[in-house]
Amino acid sequence: MTERYVLAIDQGTTSTRCILFDRRATVVAVARAELPQSYPRPGWVEHDAARIWRDTQKVVKRALASAGIGPSQVAAIGIANQRETAVVWDRRTGVPVAPAIVWQDTRTSSLVATLDVATFSDRTGLPPATYFSATKVRWLLDNVPGLRARAADGDVLFGTMDSWLIWNLTGGRHHLTDVTNASRTMLMDLTTLSWDPSLVDLCTIPPAMLPEIRSSSEVYGAADSVLPGVPIAAAMGDQQAALFGQTCFEPGDTKCTYGTGGFLLMNTGSTPVRSTHGLLTTVGYRIGNEPVAYALEGSIAFAGSLVQWVRDGLGLIGTASEIETLAGTVTDNGGCYIVPAFAGLFAPHWHSEARGVIVGLTSYIGKGHLARAVLEATGWQTREVVDAMNADAGLALTTLNVDGGMTADNLLMQIVADVLEVPVVRPMVAETVSLGAAYAAGLAVGYWSDLQDLRNNRHRAGRWLPAMDAGRRAAEYRRWQRAVECAVLFSSADHGQP
């Protein structure tokens, strides 16, 4: 019998990838295309959506070719995507009307300031923020000439990257999104799992632009424009896909993905937990017609991207992996702390006007201290989110499951274990975003039978135990919190002004 596989498309902030998995969740083939970001103005971050679609086609073909696999051997396709990035395109031509506005973009801060926090938080679980999709769409409607009239006539469509890819993969036959991505727009009601008409109206977004909301795991259509007849059977926002790939199926199960940003999610079961500590209440996943699983989330905007800045902006390292070696040349940060609020502070602060700072500089500080402060910034930001999550969920985190590219940095993983004072566990398959999308797609077509079938594939590859003295941990956390206060004081309202 010919072996069959599940194909995952992972459309992320810095790359588009295709990964093939077999029944044991083993990676069979990988193909990747790097995705450049554009920064046309301060606070603006854009992507070329047309390039993303071209890259998607390329990586799918490359992955299949490298493994010697034909389309008939692909059981299903699952999609994981950068969640809040917004793209609007012409319904007839399929051409984007403007560059996609990336989740890191802060151009809508003045619009966000006019929105009522309670109205959005109560219905969507999200506080108004530049992070989410709704204000990005509103900005395009207000600033692209003629776009609002075209939208009202039903001539243009809005979607996050899952919608964009599904629309293109199916040759324009299906305009839809899943509940996880819809829950990140500030437009979906968390309890009804449908677009909230009053919020759509409040954001002045024509309803005809919006995709249909579906579950995370079901057959949406066939990918006829790339792999004829192969079903597209799952879509998830990347962080929810990682939660699923980590098999966090029980309330209290928690994971953190360390990539461009850092994203910590805790499964809270079938009842949404409303945060009072600056976290997001979001949809974790929904399998077919089963009850939805909700999650609490804390997002760190800059984690791996801070390392990229050290490499590309400062030139302190030649490759991202060198940060661990450089940081390992010292035993502490020398009193230096870096708060990477390049696009404001995310959870639990939600201060979009904050700006990055380096504090504690003396003539003693060298490159090694700066490198260690970079890694520690990710650790302390994780600690802030975990503290808030413990308070909201009414429990204490006992283990943190980790994944993503930064988990290859063993020093960083030890730092995270030290500042959290809990074990940190990395699975054998580090590509849990792609694996989650593959799992959801495989379930939809019967490739895997049930959730226990998925749990059986889980194997641990690394474990780090806390080793930091409690007194040192407390003292350094206080200094970190003071550094964060400096970032808030140095707001973008003053930045760059004479």
Side-chain angles (χ1 to χ4, degrees), residues 280-297:
L280 308 178
T281 305
T282 192
V283 172
Y285 57 85
R286 189 182 191 192
I287 305 303
N289 293 321
E290 295 179 9
V292 67
Y294 291 96
L296 278 173
E297 176 176 336

Side-chain angles (χ1 to χ4, degrees), residues 13 81-87 100-105 126 129-137 158-162 180-181 183-186 237-240 263 280 282 297 299 346 350:
T13 310
N81 60 284
Q82 51 169 318
R83 297 172 297 178
E84 297 83 7
T85 296
V87 59
I101 302 180
V102 179
W103 56 274
Q104 296 165 315
D105 190 287
L126 312 176
T130 58
Y131 185 24
F132 307 115
S133 307
T135 59
K136 303 179 193 302
V137 181
F158 151 69
T160 44
M161 281 298 160
D162 60 316
T180 67
N181 282 290
S183 74
R184 313 295 296 191
T185 60
M186 291 194 342
D238 50 10
Q239 302 315 317
Q240 285 92 337
F263 302 90
L280 308 178
T282 192
E297 176 176 336
S299 302
F346 284 21
W350 294 109

Side-chain angles (χ1 to χ4, degrees), residues 235-252:
M236 287 185 175
D238 50 10
Q239 302 315 317
Q240 285 92 337
L243 186 76
F244 204 76
Q246 286 272 24
T247 66
C248 292
F249 302 143
E250 299 297 327

Side-chain angles (χ1 to χ4, degrees), residues 266-355:
M266 174 187 285
N267 185 327
T268 60
S270 58
T271 301
V273 174
R274 303 289 180 170
S275 176
T276 59
H277 294 82
L279 301 180
L280 308 178
T281 305
T282 192
V283 172
Y285 57 85
R286 189 182 191 192
I287 305 303
N289 293 321
E290 295 179 9
V292 67
Y294 291 96
L296 278 173
E297 176 176 336
S299 302
I300 301 166
F302 286 84
S305 54
L306 177 60
V307 176
Q308 292 175 335
W309 174 73
V310 172
R311 180 194 66 189
D312 302 334
L314 300 185
L316 292 183
I317 53 177
T319 64
S321 61
E322 292 175 17
I323 194 77
E324 180 180 10
T325 302
L326 184 56
T329 62
V330 296
T331 58
D332 57 43
N333 61 19
C336 174
Y337 294 82
I338 298 176
V339 182
F342 297 153
L345 289 169
F346 284 21
H349 305 284
W350 294 109
H351 196 299
S352 61
E353 298 299 311
R355 284 297 176 263

Side-chain angles (χ1 to χ4, degrees), residues 69-118:
I69 293 170
S72 63
Q73 292 176 265
V74 179
I77 296 171
I79 296 171
N81 60 284
Q82 51 169 318
R83 297 172 297 178
E84 297 83 7
T85 296
V87 59
V88 175
W89 66 95
D90 186 286
R91 181 192 294 271
R92 290 186 295 271
T93 67
V95 176
V97 302
I101 302 180
V102 179
W103 56 274
Q104 296 165 315
D105 190 287
T106 61
R107 75 183 69 179
T108 63
S109 57
S110 59
L111 173 58
V112 167
T114 68
L115 301 177
D116 180 67
V117 174

